[in-house]
Amino acid sequence: MKIITVKNVHSFAKSQSSKFDKKIVESIISTVQKDGDSALRRFEKKFGGVSTKAFQVSQKEIKDAYQRVTPEQVRAIKLAKARLEKTESALKTKLVKIETNTDGIKITKIFAPLGSVGCYVPGGLARYPSSVIMSVVPAKIAGVKKITVVTPPNKQGKVDPLVLVAADICKADQIFKVGGAHAIAALAFGTKSIPQVDKIVGPGGAFVTAAKYLVSNITSIDMLAGPTELAIIADDSADPKLVALDLISQAEHSSDTSCCLITTSKNLAYQVVDFIEKLTPTLQRKDIVAESLSKNGFVAICKMSDAILLANNLAPEHLEIMTRQPKTISNKIKTAGLVLLGQNTPSAASDYLLGTNHILPTNRFGRSRGSLSVLDFLKIQTSVESSKQALKKIDKYLSALAKAESLPNHYEAVKKRI
């Protein structure tokens, strides 16, 4: 990791955003829109080396998956599901029907579940049953009618058994063996095998994130959720080895992960870099960690006010605060996808069992939204009912506004009623 001094926080933060190769992804999307399943088979062969006959996972494959996982893994999935259900159910209970009545005009707002969603679950270099839990559980709590999971198969054309078990435990309605940008296109447009959905959610690499962005004018999406990011604000009270391990744990996701340390302590900065350099050759997935941290990792040394400013401008997916008074710092953070307080709240734990959702905004979108939640699977349905007497009360004001906007027929439509 390189150690730097940041002079212009705003321009530096913008330079850290991921860049997408839109042309390649646009071509994939248009091909799937035109050719459907045949395009999906070609892309699975091209990108994954897999010859796919049937995309949908069968009940037999799900049943067989249980034979290939351990009882401890099943219990872990059930625990993660239960903890997230508790968080999401608590939020759902707050979303009650709202009714107002002003001068005889009755307005009702209810929170209605979406009809269908597509949950993208990454594969490739790692297995992500946790992403199944994080996307399917809040959709179920919201009351979504049909939940579709898509995930890339391995070289043998099989889906990771733990992913299948997680999808079954969380009660996904159907699972398809297809990944990448072409899977996003299939969910957006629908094919003979894969149904079109009302909304696409879930994390992914650069191609998946770009595909979600490009289809968002056709099908609603949750957010741009990937590649993953971690920033750590630390002072000289932080344990340098724990900081190093947290950066390493995030970096092992993929070579395009973004990790940084923002610290007030020059001594801590050099200790962390030294630990990373010593630990990396001994690691599993060491090549991914090394490439990720060398390409996208940095350490910034600055005073605390600048550290807070930089963190807010980066708007990282995960922000750990490892300082003497983490709550004081967190009160000044407005943009992070998830804030993790103190020495014993690593982002690695939040990926699984803390009860928070690990599907979070990246690419500085934390400035405008937070984690995936039950809210992403609900829409506010509004109805309004007016009386003739109510229209009479607003008559002259409605006339004034209609004339001001040069839309006289708006007023005529009301005038006729009174």
Side-chain angles (χ1 to χ4, degrees):
M1 292 180 76
K2 52 185 179 288
I3 297 177
I4 62 170
T5 301
V6 177
K7 294 181 179 179
N8 188 320
V9 168
H10 298 283
S11 61
F12 177 79
K14 289 179 181 178
S15 73
Q16 299 307 298
S17 298
S18 297
K19 305 296 188 296
F20 303 130
D21 192 334
K22 292 181 183 178
K23 288 185 178 179
I24 294 174
V25 180
E26 282 172 344
S27 174
I28 292 170
I29 290 170
S30 62
T31 304
V32 172
Q33 183 181 14
K34 180 166 61 78
D35 296 338
D37 283 351
S38 63
L40 296 182
R41 289 188 176 91
R42 292 199 301 273
F43 288 129
E44 279 300 316
K45 184 68 174 176
K46 179 179 180 179
F47 297 123
V50 181
S51 296
T52 306
K53 292 181 179 178
F55 291 107
Q56 187 165 4
V57 173
S58 67
Q59 286 301 310
K60 183 179 184 305
E61 287 176 287
I62 295 171
K63 186 177 179 181
D64 290 346
Y66 278 91
Q67 307 305 313
R68 299 168 60 199
V69 300
T70 67
E72 192 71 10
Q73 288 170 336
V74 172
R75 285 193 290 270
I77 288 171
K78 289 181 177 179
L79 178 59
K81 174 177 177 281
R83 290 194 169 187
L84 186 59
E85 281 176 334
K86 184 176 180 179
T87 303
E88 295 300 327
S89 295
L91 175 57
K92 180 67 161 56
T93 60
K94 303 291 185 183
L95 305 176
V96 296
K97 182 169 71 172
I98 299 167
E99 294 181 307
T100 61
N101 191 326
T102 306
D103 295 332
I105 301 171
K106 299 176 184 178
I107 297 175
T108 303
K109 292 181 180 288
I110 62 170
F111 295 88
L114 303 181
S116 62
V117 297
C119 301
Y120 187 87
V121 177
L125 297 173
R127 57 203 310 208
Y128 292 102
S130 57
S131 291
V132 176
I133 299 165
M134 300 295 170
S135 56
V136 175
V137 166
K140 277 290 180 185
I141 297 293
V144 174
K145 304 293 187 295
K146 192 168 188 178
I147 301 172
T148 299
V149 170
V150 295
T151 189
N154 60 23
K155 296 290 184 182
Q156 290 72 47
K158 304 289 186 181
V159 172
D160 181 90
L162 208 52
V163 168
L164 292 184
V165 168
D168 186 58
I169 289 172
C170 294
K171 301 189 185 309
D173 294 297
Q174 49 192 351
I175 310 159
F176 293 95
K177 296 177 277 189
V178 60
H182 47 292
I184 300 299
L187 292 172
F189 298 107
T191 71
K192 186 177 180 180
S193 297
I194 299 175
Q196 184 183 40
V197 298
D198 296 327
K199 189 170 188 176
I200 301 170
V201 306
F207 273 55
V208 167
T209 302
K212 285 174 68 178
Y213 168 77
L214 290 169
V215 302
S216 61
N217 64 330
I218 298 158
T219 302
S220 179
I221 66 168
D222 52 348
M223 66 186 95
L224 301 187
T228 190
E229 303 162 350
L230 169 65
I232 300 174
I233 294 178
D235 60 19
D236 59 5
S237 70
D239 183 329
K241 192 164 188 178
L242 293 181
V243 174
L245 288 170
D246 287 353
L247 293 167
I248 287 169
S249 71
Q250 200 70 21
E252 75 172 337
H253 277 285
S254 66
S255 60
D256 52 8
T257 297
S258 296
C259 293
C260 71
L261 166 63
I262 309 168
T263 181
T264 56
S265 169
K266 186 176 181 180
N267 186 45
L268 178 76
Y270 282 95
Q271 285 182 304
V272 169
V273 171
D274 186 52
F275 272 124
I276 288 173
E277 290 175 350
K278 288 178 178 176
L279 287 170
T280 300
T282 70
L283 301 171
Q284 297 181 56
R285 300 171 70 84
K286 61 184 177 183
D287 293 340
I288 296 171
V289 171
E291 185 178 358
S292 173
L293 293 178
S294 64
K295 277 176 33 181
N296 308 310
F298 67 88
V299 178
I301 304 171
C302 54
K303 60 186 180 181
M304 186 55 73
S305 59
D306 286 338
I308 294 166
L309 182 61
L310 178 55
N312 275 323
N313 275 271
L314 287 170
E317 179 187 19
H318 305 84
L319 176 65
E320 292 184 16
I321 302 177
M322 300 173 72
T323 61
R324 286 183 179 82
Q325 296 180 311
K327 288 184 180 179
T328 301
I329 305 299
S330 73
N331 289 336
K332 299 175 183 177
I333 298 299
K334 307 300 179 186
T335 64
L338 176 66
V339 179
L340 302 114
L341 299 174
Q343 308 288 338
N344 297 306
T345 319
S347 62
S350 74
D351 278 351
Y352 302 111
L353 288 164
L354 296 187
T356 55
N357 201 304
H358 80 201
I359 300 175
L360 299 158
T362 61
N363 290 283
R364 304 182 73 222
F365 277 89
R367 293 172 295 164
S368 59
R369 68 152 298 147
S371 69
L372 192 76
S373 75
V374 68
L375 291 170
D376 288 284
F377 303 98
L378 299 167
K379 64 174 182 175
I380 298 176
Q381 189 75 46
T382 303
S383 63
V384 58
E385 182 182 5
S386 178
S387 65
K388 184 180 288 189
Q389 191 62 32
L391 292 179
K392 285 181 179 179
K393 287 186 177 182
I394 61 173
D395 172 49
K396 66 179 180 179
Y397 304 110
L398 199 149
S399 174
L401 289 172
K403 287 176 181 177
E405 293 190 351
S406 299
L407 297 170
N409 294 308
H410 275 57
Y411 177 63
E412 291 300 321
V414 175
K415 182 181 178 182
K416 186 67 175 176
R417 288 170 164 80
I418 59 176

